[in-house]
Amino acid sequence: MLNLWNVTQKDLRLLYRDPLALVLLIIMPLALIVLLSTAFSNVLTGSTRIRIAVVDLDQSQTSGAVINGMIASDSLVIDRVPAKGSAFSRAQAAALLGGGERLAVLVIPAGFGEALAGGSHPALTYYADPAQARNGHLVAQAIQAAFQAAGANNAPAVSAVNVDEQPLVRGASLPSVFEQTVPGFTFMFVFWLAGLIAFSVFAERRVYGTWHRNYISPVSPVTIVSGKLIAAYVIGCAQVLALFVLGWLVYGMQLGDAPAIALVIGCFLLVPLAFGLCVAAFIQNQQVLGQFMNLTVVLLGALGGSMVPIFLLPGWMRAIARFTPTYWVMTAAQDLMFRGANLRDVTTNLVVLVAFAFALFVVGAAKFRTAT
Amino acid sequence: MILELDSVSKRYGKVEAMKEFSLSVSEGERFAILGPNGAGKTTSISMIATLLRPDSGSIRVSGHDVQKERKRVRGLIGLGPQDVGLYPSFSAIENLKYFGHLHGLRGAELERRIGEVLEIAGLVDEAKKRVLQYSGRMRRRLNLAVGLLHRPALLLLDEPTAGVDPQSRNRIIEDLRAINQSTGMTIVYTTHYMEEVETLCDRVAIIDHGELVVCDRVANLLRSLGTAVILARVTAGSERLVDAIRGQIGARQLSASDGLLQLGVDNARDALPELLRLADCVGATVEDIQVRKPSLEQVFLSLTGRGLRD
C-alpha cells in the first residue's frame, strides 16, 4: 500500500511540475467552454434546422396541411410518427425525445382541424426536452411559421393557435447554454487523461529512462502501473470538480442530484483510464500518440454530444453516438442535472460506462503486459 | 558464486543475440563484459536484471533463479541503465527518496543512505537542484548513486561511460573502484572501451555475435600476447610474410586482417629486426610498424580476426 501511494504521489508531483499539462487539463476546456458557448448559442439561434417529432392524432386535412407546411420549413426537420390510437402519453413523448436526439415532440390532438374550422382556439401540446429547453422558443417560432405557411393555403385562423410548452419532468428548471457546454467540454477533455497516462508511460520508457529502474525494483509492475492510474484518476476528479464548481458558481449551472452525478462521473473516469492503458500499450511513437489523442478527444466529443447537442446531429451520427462513452455520460448527466432523474433512472448509463471501462482495461492490460 | 549464467540463449526473430552463453562471477569481483556494438552486452545485462527472459538456459543471482525468484533477485541487484534513468523535474534528493522507497527504505535509514550515495557521487552541494539543471556528467553520477542506494550485492552497469567525456569517464571508473573496495560490492558492467576494463576489472568476458569468445583474468589475457605486440601495416605480400614468420619468429600470437599484421612476442628487440628481414626476403612491403604494450583490443583482434570497433 505504501508503495502504491509512493508511485501515485510521484506521478502527481511530476504533473504538478509540468505547467503545460495543467493548462491542457484545466485551462483549455475552460477557454473552450467560454468561447464556444458563445459561438454555439449563436448557431442555435441562427439557421440551424431543428429536429422534432410530430404525432398526428387528428388525421384531418387541416392537420396534414400543417404538417406539410412544417416539412417545407427551412428551420425544421420533421420525423412524422404514426399515431397509435387517440391518446398520447408523456412516456411515449420521452421515448421519442430519445435523450436529446429530438428537440421536441408536437402532438396534434384529435378534433384539432374541426376546432380550427369552427373558429375556436385549440390547444396544441408541445413536449420539450428540458435539457434543450433554452432553445424551446425556436421550436415555437418554427411551428408558428409553419402554421402561417399552412394557413395561407387552408385559411384557418392560425394566429389563434396556442402553443403550449410542457416540460416533461416536474419541477425541473431550464438549463442554459453553459449547462450544455460545461459538462460537455469537461467530459470531452477528461479523455485527455488517457493521453496523460500514455505520455507518462512513454516518457518513463523513452525520455526519462526510468521505466526499467522502476520495473526491476522489488515493487510489482502491477503496483507501478496502478499507482500511475490512480494518479490520473485523482487528476481527473480534480479536473471535473474544478470545471463543475466553476460552472455552478460563475454560470449558475444546476447540479441536480449531485451525489448521483458524482457516481456517474466516478464511473466515467474509469473509461479514459482504461483507454490510456490501451493507448500506452498499442502506440509507442510520441507523434502518433499526440495525433491519435487529438483525434480521439475531438471525435468522442463531437459524436457523444459534448461539442454539439445530440439532436443537432444527423441520424447516422446519432446512431454511432451510442457507441461512445461520452454519449452515455452526457445523457446521464443531463438527465440528473436538468431532467430531474434519479440514480435508478441512469442505471443503464452506469452499466454501459463500467462495461466500456472493463472491456478497455482487459484489452489494455493484456497488451500492456506483452508490450512492456 | 554471486552470478551464474548456464547455457543462456536469446533470439530476436531470426537474430541470435546470445548463443549458449555461460559464465560465473564471484562475490566482490569487478567483472566486465566486453564486446563491439551488437555483440549482446545489453541483452546479457537485461536478462540478468530480470528485464528479459532467456529462451533457454538459466541465470542465478546468489543462487536464486532470476525467472522463478524475480522479486528476491530484484532486491539483490542494482542497475545503472545505459541511458540515465532519472526524473528530470525532481531534485537528486527527490529521485533518491522515490527509488529508495521502492526498495523499502524509509525514515532515518533512507536519509542516511541518501547522504552516503550523494557523498560518493560528489553531489552533496547540488542535491536540491532539479536534475534538468544538471550537466550530463552529474546526471551519470546521480544515475550511479541511485543504483547504489539500496546497497545491492550485485551492481549491473550497462555502458556507464558511453557518450561521456574522458575526464568524467575516469572519474566514474575511480568511483566504481572505490565503491568495490570499500563495500565489497560485486560489479558487472558492459563496455566497448577496453582501456576501462584493463584499468578496473579483475576478469573479463569477451563476447562477439552473441557468443562467448573468452573469459579469463585480464592479466592472463594480456600475458597471452607476450610482453609486446608488433603491429605492421603491410601493403603488399602480407600472406607471404605471414607464412615466412610462422616458425621463424617466436611469436606467441600471429594474426593478419586487412593488411594489418599483429604479432605478440616476448622480446620485441629481437623480433623486430627479424620481421623486417623476413619482409625483405619474401618481397613484402611494410609501410608502417609499431611496437605496443599488449591490450585487450589486440586480444580481441587475435581471437576474432577483427578490431573491437569494426
Side-chain angles (χ1 to χ4, degrees), chain B residues 79-114:
Chain B
L79 176 68
Q82 188 168 355
D83 299 318
V84 170
L86 301 166
Y87 294 104
S89 60
F90 282 8
S91 68
I93 289 181
E94 285 170 327
N95 270 290
L96 289 164
K97 269 190 180 164
Y98 171 67
F99 289 113
H101 281 144
L102 290 189
H103 283 276
L105 297 171
R106 302 271 186 274
E109 175 66 6
L110 177 60
E111 298 293 332
R112 199 167 56 76
R113 298 271 188 100
I114 288 174

Side-chain angles (χ1 to χ4, degrees), chain A residues 9 49 52 56 65 77 85 93 125 129 131 141 156 166 188 198 207 218 233 244 257 290 294 298 302 347 352:
Chain A
Q9 199 184 25
R49 298 183 83 195
I52 67 170
D56 185 5
V77 176
T125 308
D129 179 355
Q141 284 168 8
Q166 290 194 1
M188 181 174 146
V207 184
Y233 194 84
F244 268 53
D257 188 346
N294 281 330
V298 171
T347 310
V352 173

Side-chain angles (χ1 to χ4, degrees), chain A residues 336-355:
Chain A
L336 291 165
M337 292 163 86
F338 316 127
R339 295 188 183 108
N342 57 34
L343 192 57
R344 207 173 51 188
D345 298 326
V346 296
T347 310
T348 308
N349 300 60
L350 284 174
V351 170
V352 173
L353 288 172
V354 171

